[in-house]
Amino acid sequence: MVKVNSALILYFTAFVLYIIAVLLGSDNLELFSKPIIIPSIYYFYYISIRGKINYLFSLSVLFFFIGEILHLISREDFNISGLIFLLFPYFIILHFIIQDLIYYLKKQKIKFNTFSFYIVVILLVYLFYNVLMMMIEESSFDFYVYALYGITLLLMGVLVFVMQLNYTNRTILFSALMVACFIVSDLFFVFYKKFPDLLALKMINVTTQELSFYCYISYFIYRTKFKLYGKQNIHN
């Protein structure tokens, strides 16, 4: 328990220091704090599941870390390369979410005929379209990268919301929080790119981005324990 707490303390300490660095515009503090965030939260995952790691999940965390470091070195020089590294984990996460949905479908039928489901789908499509229109002036390759982000987030959002409507457990809860953080973070990344003088936009972007790692790790910890201990009740 002490090790788990120490890993989380290190993560949240680095998280807070990074937020302070962004607020103060301190490059040195940012260089010190940001590289600690992902390794510390991954260590929390490692000790929580007692070393029985998932290598595909670990690869996704590595891609997240490389993308973050590239943007830390120089967002201007490594913007697209960093975004590509950050995009790879989205494909992996989408793969996990599809696996989850298939598992739950075998246990219980899913209902789609709810008003809230259609409202969320319409909202996600609306956001996807309008954000892409904001990026229409980018080069063709850059635009395709942003489009892939949008499509992947749209699919993740719809699938996770479907599971959230039909089932209740901590794995699904953290997957929903994770995807919500991804969507908000990426939306405000685009907003800040268009309006770089507004610090509040950047603060929302970086806060939700770093918080998404905690939600992702927590989602996979519960997902791993659920399978390790052979729990068959989908409401656990």
Side-chain angles (χ1 to χ4, degrees), residues 14 17-22 25-37 65 68-74:
L17 288 175
Y18 175 55
I19 297 302
I20 293 172
V22 174
S26 173
D27 293 337
N28 290 333
L29 184 57
E30 187 173 341
L31 285 169
F32 168 76
S33 59
K34 190 171 184 177
I36 300 174
I37 293 174
F65 181 71
E68 288 268 283
I69 294 301
L70 286 175
H71 280 173
L72 180 62
I73 295 171
S74 176

Side-chain angles (χ1 to χ4, degrees), residues 77-124:
D77 295 334
F78 300 111
N79 181 47
I80 292 300
S81 56
L83 286 176
I84 291 172
F85 272 103
L86 293 171
L87 179 60
F88 285 140
Y90 279 19
F91 296 145
I92 296 174
I93 293 169
L94 182 59
H95 165 73
F96 291 141
I97 291 174
I98 291 172
Q99 279 188 331
D100 293 348
L101 182 60
I102 291 172
Y103 172 80
Y104 292 121
L105 280 171
K106 294 177 180 178
K107 301 292 181 181
Q108 179 180 321
K109 290 184 178 179
I110 285 179
K111 297 178 181 179
F112 294 96
N113 56 341
T114 60
F115 180 73
S116 56
F117 170 73
Y118 295 111
I119 290 296
V120 168
V121 171
I122 292 171
L123 177 62
L124 289 174

